[in-house]
Amino acid sequence: MEADGFMSRRTSVEAAGVDSRVGGAAAGAEIRWLGGRLLGTTGGFHISPRMTGEQDFAPVSHRSTSDISTSLETEIDYEGLPQGMATSTHMLAGAVAGIMEHCLMYPIDCVKTRMQSLHPEPGARYRNVMDALRQIVQTEGVWRPIRGVNVLAVGAGPAHALYFACYEKIKFSLSDAIHPGTNSHFANGVAGCVATLLHDAIMNPAEVVKQRMQMFNSPYRGVLDCVGSLLRHEGPAAFYRSYTTQLTMNVPFQALHFMTYEYLQELLNPHRQYNPSSHVVSGALAGALAAAATSPLDVCKTLLNTQEAQAVRHISGLGEAFRMVYRMGGIPAFFKGVQARVIYQMPSTAISWSVYEFFKYIITKRQHERRLHGDRDGDK
């Protein structure tokens, strides 16, 4: 059901014989609120706001089953997912979106990791993102910018599946509890924060291995060699050494990201229809803002994951990482690689949201079509 541009659950008319003037309106007819009027999708009637001199109910001629089916097919409410199918839909769409997002933007992510290095070697000093990509390809080979992408793809699928499913479930449940039928920025922020806890629990080990593989002169032959070396020399705790820092960064990042995205959707896509351009623009701007705001925490996370300063001493914990970053470069060090981070996050979140919304729309459309075919077979 759509109310003032926001989707909520559909309701049904439970009482039989709503008004004697409405001919053929069956009990239990499904209704939707569209543009200030109630539209009966099964009973063949609509209820308009009463104007002076008008009757309460305006009868509408009955439509054939094929006409009703055609109308339903062209008005698929992909935000109002069918009961029992919503979670699987969000998880599948989220998994595809996460894998595509991380794999397509992986070369920029590699550059970001290197540019955040506190004391880069002479061969890893770059002027900007394009200069970094050019140097990496020329000196280390064309495949070097995507080294370690396989471990990230393995982690991104399940992580983003839980991420989007949790976000959608909490967002709608909390919004309904706070203000039924409308969007709540507070609910969006809380949903983003809770979804991040699940996402980071799965992604953190993949992030550690990925960043070790991305560093200049990385000593590891491959992903399995990196995992084995970490287990032998640093123990299982190495995979979660930066988890608290990751959460400290990602909780405000995702809260700001989701609130900005939903706010921009209200402006650009108030009826919450499937609109690719609005998803791309909202996702890109939300990602850029959140990335720039949380860049200092990302630098600390990279330091904890790579332990590049361990020649000085072993680093553990966000507070120690903050002190080490400040000692080695002052305030500017907290914004090392911020350009690469914003350039990475803008298309990354745009891809994530547009792919997620597209697959959610396609999957929901197919579910509606299967239900329609089932109803037709049942009528026969």
Side-chain angles (χ1 to χ4, degrees), residues 289-322:
L289 178 63
T294 57
S295 188
L297 289 165
D298 192 48
V299 172
C300 294
K301 183 206 75 173
T302 298
L303 177 61
L304 287 167
N305 280 344
T306 61
Q307 291 291 305
E308 67 161 327
Q310 65 180 191
V312 181
R313 61 193 174 99
H314 191 77
I315 302 170
S316 62
L318 178 58
E320 192 173 349
F322 254 101

Side-chain angles (χ1 to χ4, degrees), residues 46-368:
H46 72 262
I47 308 172
S48 302
R50 190 170 75 176
M51 306 295 290
T52 304
E54 290 185 352
Q55 53 184 340
D56 291 338
F57 297 87
V60 177
S61 59
H62 288 269
R63 294 175 291 172
S64 64
T65 304
S66 61
D67 292 337
I68 295 172
S69 300
T70 303
S71 174
L72 284 172
E73 288 174 356
T74 57
E75 278 188 15
I76 292 174
D77 176 10
Y78 89 109
E79 289 283 351
L81 296 171
Q83 287 293 326
M85 298 183 185
T87 301
S88 61
T89 298
H90 291 307
M91 292 186 77
L92 180 57
V96 174
I99 292 171
M100 289 189 66
E101 167 199 347
H102 285 287
C103 290
L104 289 175
M105 298 306 300
Y106 192 83
I108 307 298
D109 186 46
C110 177
V111 170
K112 176 189 74 72
T113 298
R114 292 197 179 192
M115 293 184 76
Q116 288 178 335
S117 176
L118 296 177
H119 50 76
E121 297 185 34
R125 299 179 189 274
Y126 313 114
R127 293 191 302 272
N128 51 50
V129 174
M130 293 308 298
D131 178 57
L133 282 173
R134 181 182 58 80
Q135 286 194 46
I136 292 171
V137 171
Q138 286 181 350
T139 60
E140 303 174 58
V142 68
W143 300 112
R144 188 62 181 86
I146 60 172
R147 191 166 182 250
V149 68
N150 50 345
V151 70
L152 198 65
V154 170
H160 279 73
L162 289 174
Y163 176 70
F164 279 108
C166 179
Y167 170 72
E168 296 281 2
K169 179 68 175 177
I170 295 176
K171 179 182 76 171
F172 284 116
S173 299
L174 197 55
S175 291
D176 285 347
I178 295 173
H179 199 330
T182 63
N183 184 39
S184 167
H185 295 304
F186 175 75
N188 298 334
V190 171
C193 293
V194 176
T196 299
L197 296 175
L198 295 175
H199 172 273
D200 287 359
I202 297 174
M203 280 296 290
N204 208 82
E207 282 281 335
V208 173
V209 175
K210 176 206 75 171
Q211 292 197 306
R212 296 282 181 115
M213 299 285 291
Q214 288 174 336
M215 293 300 290
F216 182 74
N217 281 339
S218 175
Y220 310 108
R221 296 188 302 272
V223 170
L224 294 179
D225 179 48
C226 181
V227 172
S229 178
L230 280 169
L231 287 173
R232 286 192 303 271
H233 298 106
E234 301 179 48
F239 294 103
Y240 284 94
R241 184 180 291 122
S242 65
Y243 183 56
T244 53
T245 302
Q246 184 98 336
L247 288 178
T248 305
M249 175 186 71
N250 280 344
V251 166
F253 175 92
Q254 297 299 353
L256 186 58
H257 167 211
F258 279 115
M259 287 191 291
T260 304
Y261 178 82
E262 297 288 353
Y263 173 73
L264 291 172
Q265 281 292 289
E266 290 179 17
L267 298 179
L268 302 176
N269 187 18
H271 297 295
R272 296 306 177 99
Q273 299 169 342
Y274 175 61
N275 186 334
S277 60
S278 76
H279 300 317
V280 169
V281 173
S282 299
L285 294 177
L289 178 63
T294 57
S295 188
L297 289 165
D298 192 48
V299 172
C300 294
K301 183 206 75 173
T302 298
L303 177 61
L304 287 167
N305 280 344
T306 61
Q307 291 291 305
E308 67 161 327
Q310 65 180 191
V312 181
R313 61 193 174 99
H314 191 77
I315 302 170
S316 62
L318 178 58
E320 192 173 349
F322 254 101
R323 288 190 294 272
M324 180 62 70
V325 171
Y326 183 76
R327 187 180 301 121
M328 298 182 73
I331 296 296
F334 288 102
F335 293 92
K336 289 176 72 69
V338 65
Q339 178 195 37
R341 178 167 164 78
V342 171
I343 291 174
Y344 167 77
Q345 285 292 348
M346 283 190 72
S348 178
T349 48
I351 290 169
S352 180
W353 277 112
S354 57
V355 171
Y356 172 68
E357 298 286 2
F358 170 75
F359 275 91
K360 189 171 72 170
Y361 172 74
I362 292 298
I363 294 168
T364 305
K365 182 178 179 181
R366 289 190 175 184
Q367 290 171 351
H368 275 269

